Amino acid sequence: MAAKVGDFSLILKLLGGIIIGALLGLYIGENAEGSLRHVMDVVVSLRHIFGQIIFFLVPLVIVGFITPAIVRLGQNASKILLVAVGLAYISSLGAALFSMISGYCIIPNLSIATSTETLRSLPEMVFRLDIPPLFSVMSALVLALTMGVAIVWTRSETLGKIFCEMERIMTALVNRIMIPILPFFVGLSFLGLAYEGSLSRHLPVFIMMVLIVIVGHFIWLAVLYGIGGALSGRNPSQVFRHYAPAYLTAVGTMSSAATLPVALECARKSPVLSRTMVEFMVPLGATVHLCGSVLTETFFVMTISLMLYGSLPSVGTMLLFCVLLGIFAVGAPGVPGGTVVASLGIVTGVLGFDPNGVALLIAIFALQDSFGTACNVTGDGALTLMLEGLFNRNGELGPLQDVAPAEKV
């Protein structure tokens, strides 16, 4: 679920920023020795300021969203809930590892130019405003995890309410500050990339990346449904065959939340799922299951690393990134591009991306946002099937929905 709250206008703004920035960058680059030579001084300064604001908010977003998520999990803890969240994390982690292995096999064979010798250099900033974050990204992650667990252990209602209020505050800051400046940040970054000359060299790779991850989505969905069928002893085709309307709705809305009513209706039509489990797992999955988005981001960061920095991240670095990305995905904020927004800290802290790399990741992720969301939504049906096998194999939690013997494996 790349975007849990539908906002098609943001995608249009991001695309507008990319197109306008790229065209202006090409035009300014062609007239770099003329009257436009000082424009890039302002562009570089503005991009730095926008980037500083975004990176200042990132650690706060981590604490503000992950801690309340842990608190809510503790307050509503049950065996099925814990297993469901665990399955969502394992699915996301598995998707990331699958994407990582595929990336090491595929990306070196793509025609990606890594030499920067012929690129035009960006000018120095005429005005520099540094806004250091209150604490590092890893400190934010450890603080969020330890505080969340401690609040659950001590049943501290006061701190629980405070962090829930902090979640509301951070949602407002993300929606009113971070999201509105993202199109400008991305647009200015693309302007810089086009001015340097690197954008025209990499456009075919962008298109190829999107096509590759869409194929990866379907492969991972096949894996999930295969596991679901094995655990439940039921025919997985009797679930995913009903999910076409939900998939298409997600492609159109780019929002798991907006797709939820359709996804529920599709899952209820399955004769091998119980209504009780459907109404539990499908809404929960819309919140915590982001396998498509995680798969996409993992492949994209590897490609961008080779594209901008000349090499793929080490295996150890990518393993750490995948483990942490799965955690961030479970607690991702309910905003457009929530997975990327929540994971900006590890993108910069673990992988060492600079503002150019972050802007490129956000922009390319936006291009496939709808397909990643559709993968997330469709994958929720597979997790529901897994829970049926673990907790409702014999109808303990309610009968199946008019299931016929022929529909079972």
Side-chain angles (χ1 to χ4, degrees):
M1 179 177 51
K4 299 175 194 174
V5 176
D7 191 355
F8 187 69
S9 64
L10 176 66
I11 306 302
L12 293 180
K13 290 175 182 177
L14 285 171
L15 292 176
I18 293 171
I19 294 171
I20 295 173
L23 292 176
L24 286 177
L26 292 173
Y27 179 75
I28 296 173
E30 293 175 356
N31 298 274
E33 304 303 324
S35 59
L36 297 176
R37 64 182 182 276
H38 297 302
V39 173
M40 290 305 299
D41 298 340
V42 178
V43 168
V44 173
S45 298
L46 286 177
R47 186 186 65 179
H48 175 75
I49 293 172
F50 287 145
Q52 288 291 294
I53 294 173
I54 291 173
F55 295 131
F56 172 80
L57 290 175
V58 165
L60 299 178
V61 169
I62 293 171
V63 176
F65 283 109
I66 292 183
T67 304
I70 296 174
V71 172
R72 283 193 296 269
L73 178 62
Q75 291 171 346
N76 299 283
S78 69
K79 184 177 182 181
I80 299 178
L81 180 58
L82 292 174
V83 171
V85 174
L87 287 175
Y89 174 75
I90 292 172
S91 173
S92 295
L93 176 60
L97 295 175
F98 165 68
S99 184
M100 180 192 75
I101 295 171
S102 301
Y104 282 121
C105 296
I106 295 174
I107 295 173
N109 298 314
L110 299 178
S111 299
I112 300 177
T114 59
S115 175
T116 59
E117 294 177 0
T118 60
L119 298 182
R120 185 183 292 108
S121 298
L122 290 172
E124 296 293 328
M125 285 179 283
V126 294
F127 176 75
R128 183 185 186 96
L129 176 63
D130 292 325
I131 311 174
L134 297 179
F135 35 77
S136 70
V137 171
M138 292 308 298
S139 295
L141 175 60
V142 173
L143 176 63
L145 294 176
T146 53
M147 285 298 296
V149 171
I151 290 171
V152 171
W153 286 343
T154 59
R155 301 179 183 274
S156 175
E157 296 183 2
T158 301
L159 279 180
K161 292 178 180 178
I162 289 175
F163 276 100
C164 287
E165 285 296 311
M166 183 178 179
E167 182 180 32
R168 292 177 55 196
I169 293 171
M170 292 314 304
T171 299
L173 289 175
V174 168
N175 287 331
R176 298 187 183 188
I177 297 179
M178 183 180 286
I179 295 301
I181 68 176
L182 275 178
F184 296 99
F185 177 61
V186 169
L188 292 173
S189 295
F190 265 72
L191 195 158
L193 292 172
Y195 175 84
E196 290 176 318
S198 62
L199 185 60
S200 58
R201 298 168 61 185
H202 299 310
L203 184 59
V205 178
F206 297 162
I207 298 174
M208 182 64 66
M209 288 165 62
V210 173
L211 294 177
I212 290 173
V213 297
I214 291 175
V215 173
H217 292 162
F218 285 104
I219 294 175
W220 188 248
L221 286 175
V223 171
L224 290 180
Y225 275 97
I227 296 173
L231 285 177
S232 64
R234 301 168 191 170
N235 190 344
S237 69
Q238 294 302 318
V239 180
F240 66 74
R241 65 181 291 189
H242 298 285
Y243 256 88
Y247 187 93
L248 294 176
T249 301
V251 169
T253 63
M254 291 165 284
S255 167
S256 292
T259 308
L260 182 56
V262 180
L264 281 169
E265 190 63 27
C266 292
R268 287 168 182 158
K269 291 180 181 178
S270 172
V272 298
L273 299 177
S274 65
R275 190 180 184 92
T276 299
M277 200 63 77
V278 165
E279 294 184 351
F280 168 78
M281 187 62 224
V282 174
L284 178 65
T287 305
V288 300
H289 187 217
L290 307 175
C291 60
S293 300
V294 166
L295 186 154
T296 298
E297 185 173 346
T298 301
F299 191 86
F300 282 3
V301 297
M302 294 178 70
T303 308
I304 292 171
S305 179
L306 179 60
M307 184 184 299
L308 295 186
Y309 312 121
S311 63
L312 292 172
S314 67
V315 174
T317 299
M318 282 307 303
L319 285 174
L320 176 61
F321 177 80
C322 291
V323 171
L324 294 178
L325 182 59
I327 297 174
F328 280 101
V330 171
V335 296
T339 308
V340 172
V341 171
S343 65
L344 285 182
I346 56 174
V347 170
T348 57
V350 176
L351 300 179
F353 274 32
D354 61 12
N356 263 346
V358 171
L360 199 57
L361 173 62
I362 293 172
I364 302 175
F365 193 92
L367 295 178
Q368 65 74 56
D369 194 18
S370 57
F371 295 99
T373 303
C375 179
N376 298 336
V377 169
T378 308
D380 294 341
L383 295 194
T384 306
L385 192 59
M386 293 180 196
L387 287 182
E388 289 283 357
L390 294 172
F391 296 103
N392 196 36
R393 195 177 185 90
N394 299 314
E396 297 92 340
L397 299 178
L400 304 184
Q401 302 175 97
D402 301 322
V403 64
E407 304 295 353
K408 296 187 178 183
V409 175

